[in-house]
């Protein structure tokens, strides 16, 4: 496919070359005249005037045709030398043309070639000196870019990408108004031949992708939304070169940045909680994070319930009730018989006004009945845990109380004084144990740029672990994709939202320790037995060896390789508070 370009008079080219030394504007400044730098290339470090773009593309097409007419392809042009940011692109093009077809280049000296900045990446081009040396090397990692921006910057597949030794497929060329026109004498033979693509190093593009994401976030942080939008377009180009987890996590962060730039953050109340529960189910099945959270919390609760005849469990995040069938089964097998088990479940309202909590309670009641456990259930629908009070929970005399929260308490940090109110409610019910599972991250800092960088590395590890699960487990591709959507919603909230709408305010274990201790709670050591059993469970589930369980001050943490991702902690009322 050949692009048509507007004719560029020689006088305009001479004026453009003469005015380059007079340009004193920054590369980010707008310039509607012919002397303005192309913004999309400027953000990547190359200075190309917008008026010169047609000439640059024209010369690249001329080079493509010249390389296509060679008898032995372009293997003799390979080189290990990298030409960084060449200032004389015309010399580079002329040298390549001379090396391929010196006789044709000499006869075509009337074609105007000016000095332009590079159209291709500075990491993937040959220098004139390296072309003359004739050394060879190949690049093993490649991928194609596509651009939907206002400039056509695509690397178009063509004859320059493959070796054509078919003498019947000759091209004739002539000049018409400064443009080179090509006609194929044997179209069918060219169409039948395989057409490899002009490709770009994906490893280098991956590094540039991360840097561009961070640069876009910095532009947003500095309220330079026009520059941020320009970076956003480059993220789309660079993400195409990636495969697997890196490409997908970059896509979610790019979407979140776009929502922040254009101020279209979804309100948390507009999100269908029933659909969120579906995504959570896929996340539960795909990776071990929720299983680890449920198992470690249940171990602490079982130890706290030892010897109790009547137990009352308050669950701040019942969801689908996946955590409690194993606990009920353990209670049924307890020596001396199971205790009377009472469960109070908290959940958000449904957009369709269905009673999801009642459905969960009915299923748990049926399960408890089949294994002989006395079971009572109550469900509370509320927008926030701060809406609860101790009277509503109806604690009865003689009950051993436990409070459980999985990925829920951090949402209270979006509302002033909500955390303090919930801690007061917990103290009033006098639980024997409080189990808390939270993301091991710091996404609640006051500085957007720091929060973005922390989230980028955190969710990159999360997506990488999901990809590891997909390679070693029987999880379907749909499970992995739905799990990524579950995490993608969190990314969107962390990056795109602010104020009360930003509810994914994850904090580290160190911060939760300080908060719980200041609220009048002492840590409970989860014990070496829980650590060993969690490690065994993880080995059976994961199999890839990428997951790691570690103990941290009596708490258990699950991570991917060296990065902790979630943490389970247990707490009880301090002695003075209990008295």
């Amino acid at each position: 496919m050949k692009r048509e370009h507007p004719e560029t008079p020689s006088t305009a080219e001479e004026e453009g070359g003469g005015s380059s030394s007079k340009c004193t504007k920054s590369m980010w400044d707008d310039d509607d005249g012919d002397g303005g730098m192309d913004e999309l290339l400027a953000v990547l470090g190359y200075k190309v005037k917008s008026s010169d773009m047609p000439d640059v593309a024209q010369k690249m097409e001329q080079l493509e045709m010249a390389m296509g007419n060679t008898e032995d392809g372009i293997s003799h042009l390979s080189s290990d030398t990298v030409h960084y940011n060449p200032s004389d692109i015309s010399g580079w093009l002329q040298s390549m043309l001379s090396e391929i077809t010196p006789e044709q280049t000499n006869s075509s000296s009337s074609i105007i070639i000016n000095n332009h900045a590079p159209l291709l990446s500075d990491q993937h081009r040959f220098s004139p000196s390296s072309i003359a040396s004739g050394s060879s090397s190949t690049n093993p990692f490649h991928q194609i870019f596509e651009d939907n921006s206002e400039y056509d910057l695509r690397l178009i597949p063509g004859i320059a990408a493959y070796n054509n030794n078919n003498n019947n497929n000759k091209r004739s060329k002539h000049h018409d108004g400064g443009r080179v026109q090509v006609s194929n004498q044997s179209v069918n033979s060219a169409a039948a031949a395989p057409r490899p693509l002009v490709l770009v190093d994906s490893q280098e593009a991956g590094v540039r992708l991360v840097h561009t994401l961070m640069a876009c976030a910095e532009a947003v942080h500095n309220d330079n939304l026009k520059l941020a939008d320009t970076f956003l377009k480059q993220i789309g180009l660079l993400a195409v070169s990636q495969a697997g987890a890196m490409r997908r996590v970059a896509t979610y962060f790019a979407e979140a940045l776009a929502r922040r730039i254009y101020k279209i953050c979804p309100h948390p109340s507009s999100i269908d909680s029933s659909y969120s529960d579906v995504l959570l189910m896929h996340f539960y099945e795909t990776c071990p994070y929720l299983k680890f959270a449920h198992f470690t919390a249940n171990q602490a609760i079982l130890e706290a319930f030892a010897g109790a005849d009547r137990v009352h469990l308050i669950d701040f995040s019942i969801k689908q009730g996946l955590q409690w069938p194993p606990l009920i089964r353990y209670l049924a097998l307890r020596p001396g018989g199971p205790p009377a088990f009472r469960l109070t479940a908290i959940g958000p309202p449904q957009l369709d006004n269905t009673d999801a909590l009642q459905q969960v309670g009915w299923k748990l009641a049926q399960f408890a009945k089949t294994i002989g456990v006395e079971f009572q259930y109550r469900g509370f629908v509320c927008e926030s845990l701060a809406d609860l009070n101790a009277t509503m929970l109806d604690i009865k005399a003689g009950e051993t109380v436990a409070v459980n929260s999985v990925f829920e308490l951090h949402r209270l940090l979006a509302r002033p004084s909500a955390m303090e109110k919930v801690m007061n409610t917990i103290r009033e019910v006098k639980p024997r144990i409080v189990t808390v599972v939270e993301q091991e991250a710091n996404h609640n800092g006051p500085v957007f740029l720091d929060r973005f960088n922390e989230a980028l590395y955190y969710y990159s590890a999360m997506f990488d672990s999901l990809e590891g699960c997909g390679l070693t487990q029987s999880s379907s591709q749909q499970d992995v994709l739905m799990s990524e959507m579950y995490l993608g919603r969190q990314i969107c909230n962390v990056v795109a939202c602010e104020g009360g709408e930003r509810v994914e305010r994850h904090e580290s274990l160190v911060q939760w320790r300080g908060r719980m201790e200041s609220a009048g709670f002492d840590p409970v050591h989860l014990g070496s037995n829980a650590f060993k059993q969690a490690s065994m469970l993880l080995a059976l589930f994961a199999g890839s060896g990428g997951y790691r369980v570690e103990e941290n001050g009596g708490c258990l943490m699950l991570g991917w390789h060296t990065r902790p991702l979630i943490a389970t902690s247990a707490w009880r009322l301090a002695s003075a508070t209990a008295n």
Side-chain angles (χ1 to χ4, degrees):
M1 179 181 70
K2 179 178 180 295
R3 293 187 347 234
E4 293 295 334
H5 307 288
E7 300 180 11
T8 306
S10 59
T11 56
E13 293 171 348
E14 293 172 358
E15 292 174 1
S19 62
S20 60
S21 62
K22 300 178 182 180
C23 181
T24 59
K25 288 189 175 182
S26 168
M27 68 173 62
W28 313 123
D29 293 341
D30 294 329
D31 193 338
D32 298 331
D34 292 339
M37 293 299 174
D38 180 84
E39 191 179 61
L40 291 176
L41 292 179
V43 295
L44 295 180
Y46 308 113
K47 297 182 180 179
V48 180
K49 292 188 294 184
S50 299
S51 60
D52 293 337
M53 286 292 294
D55 292 323
V56 173
Q58 182 184 78
K59 286 182 287 185
M60 298 304 294
E61 288 183 353
Q62 180 190 356
L63 177 62
E64 180 186 20
M65 289 184 296
M67 295 172 76
N69 286 330
T70 59
E71 297 296 328
D72 59 346
I74 61 173
S75 59
H76 66 290
L77 297 178
S78 300
S79 172
D80 292 329
T81 305
V82 179
H83 196 55
Y84 289 99
N85 199 17
S87 59
D88 184 10
I89 191 64
S90 65
W92 173 68
L93 290 170
Q94 187 66 40
S95 178
M96 291 192 72
L97 289 169
S98 300
E99 186 73 14
I100 298 171
T101 55
E103 68 284 353
Q104 294 182 11
T105 306
N106 293 333
S107 63
S108 304
S109 59
S110 60
I111 299 178
I112 299 174
I113 302 178
N114 293 320
N115 294 334
H116 296 290
L119 180 63
L120 299 178
S121 170
D122 60 345
Q123 299 290 333
H124 309 287
R125 58 182 71 254
F126 306 109
S127 65
S129 60
S130 66
I131 294 173
S133 66
S135 61
S136 64
S137 70
T138 58
N139 200 330
F141 303 101
H142 297 89
Q143 185 61 293
I144 192 167
F145 283 142
E146 295 182 2
D147 184 17
N148 294 321
S149 63
E150 60 181 313
Y151 298 113
D152 188 358
L153 301 182
R154 291 173 294 175
L155 303 183
I156 304 174
I159 58 174
Y162 68 100
N163 188 357
N164 184 7
N165 292 323
N166 187 356
N167 294 329
N168 294 326
N169 184 24
K170 297 294 184 180
R171 289 191 171 190
S172 62
K173 58 183 180 180
H174 62 276
H175 303 287
D176 181 13
R179 284 197 295 269
V180 180
Q181 299 190 3
V182 183
S183 62
N184 282 332
Q185 296 179 359
S186 178
V187 177
N188 294 333
S189 61
R195 293 173 61 86
L197 302 176
V198 179
L199 303 173
V200 177
D201 188 329
S202 62
Q203 187 174 14
E204 186 272 342
V207 176
R208 182 168 292 187
L209 173 60
V210 175
H211 291 170
T212 308
L213 279 166
M214 297 171 71
C216 183
E218 184 174 3
V220 171
H221 174 74
N222 295 328
D223 204 28
N224 190 344
L225 299 185
K226 183 175 182 181
L227 177 59
D229 183 65
T230 303
F231 278 125
L232 200 61
K233 296 175 183 177
Q234 297 306 313
I235 293 171
L237 294 175
L238 295 168
V240 175
S241 70
Q242 302 303 299
M246 186 60 200
R247 177 176 180 173
R248 294 191 291 273
V249 75
T251 300
Y252 279 108
F253 272 93
E255 178 188 353
L257 285 168
R259 286 181 174 274
R260 187 179 182 93
I261 292 171
Y262 298 114
K263 295 178 173 53
I264 50 176
C265 175
H267 194 278
S269 61
S270 65
I271 298 175
D272 188 354
S273 59
S274 62
Y275 183 62
S276 298
D277 290 344
V278 172
L279 298 180
L280 184 72
M281 288 286 291
H282 286 282
F283 185 71
Y284 179 87
E285 294 295 337
T286 305
C287 55
Y289 297 108
L290 278 174
K291 291 183 174 69
F292 173 86
H294 294 169
F295 176 79
T296 52
N298 284 353
Q299 285 294 112
I301 293 171
L302 280 173
E303 293 179 8
F305 282 171
D309 294 329
R310 299 169 59 192
V311 298
H312 185 179
L313 179 61
I314 302 170
D315 187 4
F316 283 168
S317 49
I318 185 68
K319 305 299 183 184
Q320 294 295 314
L322 299 174
Q323 183 173 352
W324 306 125
L327 180 69
I328 296 173
R329 186 181 297 112
Y330 290 142
L331 291 175
L333 299 174
R334 194 178 70 171
F341 183 39
R342 186 171 170 221
L343 176 61
T344 298
I346 316 298
Q350 304 292 314
L351 290 182
D352 57 1
N353 294 323
T354 58
D355 196 349
L357 287 180
Q358 193 65 27
Q359 296 175 13
V360 171
W362 182 84
K363 292 178 182 179
L364 291 175
Q366 290 295 109
F367 177 77
K369 183 178 179 180
T370 59
I371 59 176
V373 175
E374 182 183 344
F375 183 79
Q376 295 183 25
Y377 178 87
R378 291 182 66 195
F380 285 98
V381 176
C382 60
E383 291 282 355
S384 171
L385 295 176
D387 299 332
L388 295 173
N389 58 60
T391 303
M392 296 169 59
L393 299 176
D394 190 25
I395 305 300
K396 300 183 182 302
E399 288 183 335
T400 300
V401 180
V403 176
N404 179 76
S405 174
V406 176
F407 302 149
E408 195 66 33
L409 289 182
H410 66 263
R411 302 174 70 88
L412 297 171
L413 300 175
R415 296 177 57 178
S417 304
M419 182 66 71
E420 291 76 7
K421 187 175 185 300
V422 171
M423 289 298 165
N424 289 334
T425 301
I426 295 175
R427 284 195 299 268
E428 290 179 19
V429 301
K430 294 182 171 55
R432 182 172 292 184
I433 196 165
V434 180
T435 51
V436 177
V437 183
E438 286 290 338
Q439 291 86 346
E440 179 57 18
N442 186 12
H443 300 154
N444 194 33
V447 180
F448 167 75
L449 185 59
D450 295 340
R451 194 166 67 241
F452 178 90
N453 292 338
E454 168 71 13
L456 179 60
Y457 288 112
Y458 178 85
Y459 286 105
S460 294
M462 270 286 190
F463 274 64
D464 192 34
S465 70
L466 285 178
E467 189 174 53
C469 289
L471 295 175
T472 59
Q473 300 297 314
S474 59
S475 303
S476 66
Q477 187 66 20
Q478 182 184 11
D479 285 332
V480 175
L481 292 176
M482 297 290 275
S483 300
E484 290 173 347
M485 290 180 64
Y486 170 78
L487 297 175
R489 286 190 168 192
Q490 297 180 14
I491 293 172
C492 179
N493 190 266
V494 170
V495 175
C497 301
E498 284 295 347
E501 295 180 348
R502 181 165 61 86
V503 296
E504 298 296 343
R505 296 174 177 258
H506 311 140
E507 292 190 344
S508 66
L509 178 60
V510 173
Q511 292 169 297
W512 283 111
R513 275 199 185 113
R515 181 173 288 109
M516 296 298 291
E517 290 174 355
S518 64
F521 295 91
D522 288 337
V524 176
H525 200 289
L526 292 178
S528 59
N529 185 45
F531 176 85
K532 292 177 182 179
Q533 293 191 43
S535 300
M536 293 175 60
L537 174 69
L538 200 60
L540 292 173
F541 181 86
S544 65
Y547 293 99
R548 296 287 185 271
V549 180
E550 66 177 77
E551 189 269 340
N552 186 322
C555 306
L556 292 182
M557 307 175 76
L558 173 60
W560 178 248
H561 295 293
T562 60
R563 171 71 193 241
L565 295 174
I566 67 170
T568 301
S569 59
W571 305 88
R572 63 182 170 217
L573 286 173
S575 300
T577 305
N579 293 333

